[in-house]
Amino acid sequence: NTTGLKWCVGNGYEAESNGKFDIVYDGSYASQARKMISYMEDNYKGEGKPTVRAWVLTHSHGDHYPTFQTVTRRMDNAINVEYIVYSPLREEDYEMNEEEIYFSTEDFQQDAAELDGAKLVYAHTGMEFTFCNLKMEILMTPETLFKGGEPKGNFNNTSVVTRLYDESYKALFLGDIAVKGSDYMHAIYGDYLKSDICQVSHHGVEDVPLSFYETVKASILYYPCNIWLYDQTERHYDVRVALEERDYTKEILIAGCGQYTRAWGTVFEANAPLVIPDHPTKGPAA
């Protein structure tokens, strides 16, 4: 049975099953690679090196993929990775949008090859995979909005959006999607988006409207940001306040507040009070 979803570093998450790392999402800056590997080495309960069934790279921004890049270039013998799930744009689409093109370069291919035996999986909207006892569905990939020879606005909409689920529980991972991406999914999927856990998009910066989160109706919200950013009133703030006030919101987990792990299948009583981790100090954004 899957035992927990763990925030590890920056934008990095791990879905663990019996002390094994089934699925890893993204990471953070290069400086966080050692922290992620150390966590795996300290908590892995299998034989030999820690094994990751699938490493999902949501998009090619420098606060998401450099952990992966550093692991492959400097620590490639530290772990085993079976699959790398990603969805690159064509090089001309990156250039059109003036963004980092790492996923479509030879550097990425060479880095991935350093993880001996890892298979590259080019994700497309509608695909579904099974890793151990969890299913992963691909709800949106960048080709949905970006391929077509013209700039498409906010590059965060190239995020691969996935959902992990089993017979009774669903966890939605939004990456950094913005308005166009969330509007597309809202129109296509509607109430199908309803999930028990939701990773709030773009570090809690409110690029996704409240109506989207009200459709998801997640009882547990994962915020990949520190409390300083969570409390920023100049970053809109109204969505955060509204979600705190919704009856279906039972727990808000904020990176760095020491409470960022949840057992799979966590169920709250109907009248359970909202829980937000204590944050005795504030500081600059991580």
Side-chain angles (χ1 to χ4, degrees), residues 3 10 25 46 48 59 67 74 101 103 108 136 141 163 178 192 215 219-220 224 229-230 239 243 264 279:
T3 56
Y25 280 87
H59 64 297
T67 296
R74 300 183 183 179
I101 65 171
F103 290 163
F108 173 73
M136 175 194 294
T141 57
R163 182 160 59 184
Y192 182 72
T215 299
S219 56
I220 303 174
L229 183 55
Y230 183 83
V239 172
L243 289 174
W264 189 260
H279 45 91

Side-chain angles (χ1 to χ4, degrees), residues 204-218:
V205 178
E206 294 175 1
D207 294 333
V208 171
L210 177 62
S211 57
F212 180 88
Y213 292 113
E214 288 184 321
T215 299
V216 175
K217 281 189 170 61

Side-chain angles (χ1 to χ4, degrees), residues 84-100:
I84 301 165
V85 180
Y86 77 126
S87 187
L89 292 175
R90 298 174 304 176
E91 189 166 330
E92 54 266 35
D93 287 311
Y94 284 107
E95 292 171 349
M96 179 79 66
N97 289 277
E98 299 182 345
E99 292 286 348
E100 297 165 88

Side-chain angles (χ1 to χ4, degrees), residues 99-276:
E99 292 286 348
E100 297 165 88
I101 65 171
Y102 173 63
F103 290 163
S104 65
T105 65
E106 290 184 3
D107 282 348
F108 173 73
Q109 297 289 331
Q110 292 171 1
D111 291 342
E114 292 294 330
L115 295 170
D116 187 34
K119 298 179 176 62
L120 286 176
V121 177
Y122 192 152
H124 299 278
T125 302
M127 282 183 167
E128 188 170 289
F129 307 98
T130 300
F131 300 104
C132 296
N133 62 318
L134 275 182
K135 294 186 182 298
M136 175 194 294
E137 54 184 340
I138 309 296
L139 297 179
M140 191 177 77
T141 57
E143 63 191 0
T144 304
L145 297 177
F146 273 75
K147 288 189 175 178
E150 62 182 62
K152 299 294 183 181
N154 194 330
F155 193 76
N156 283 324
N157 285 314
T158 64
S159 296
V160 176
V161 178
T162 68
R163 182 160 59 184
L164 303 181
Y165 71 98
D166 62 12
E167 296 82 3
S168 59
Y169 213 67
K170 299 176 180 178
L172 181 64
F173 291 84
L174 297 176
D176 281 356
I177 63 161
V179 173
K180 284 188 177 180
S182 62
D183 284 352
Y184 167 83
M185 289 196 298
H186 208 182
I188 296 299
Y189 295 113
D191 291 341
Y192 182 72
L193 291 168
K194 189 175 185 309
S195 302
D196 303 283
I197 289 176
C198 180
Q199 172 252 309
V200 176
S201 179
H202 198 199
H203 325 291
V205 178
E206 294 175 1
D207 294 333
V208 171
L210 177 62
S211 57
F212 180 88
Y213 292 113
E214 288 184 321
T215 299
V216 175
K217 281 189 170 61
S219 56
I220 303 174
L221 297 172
Y222 275 51
Y223 275 85
C225 65
N226 61 18
I227 194 63
W228 179 87
L229 183 55
Y230 183 83
D231 284 343
Q232 285 290 297
T233 55
E234 54 266 35
R235 298 259 184 144
H236 306 299
Y237 196 68
D238 54 322
V239 172
R240 270 161 280 190
V241 171
L243 289 174
E244 288 181 9
E245 295 174 348
R246 294 301 186 264
D247 291 340
Y248 51 78
T249 305
K250 302 303 182 185
E251 191 158 26
I252 292 175
L253 302 172
I254 302 167
C257 288
Q259 195 184 357
Y260 223 56
T261 303
R262 268 299 156 263
W264 189 260
T266 298
V267 177
F268 295 94
E269 297 178 5
N271 60 349
L274 172 66
V275 175
I276 302 177

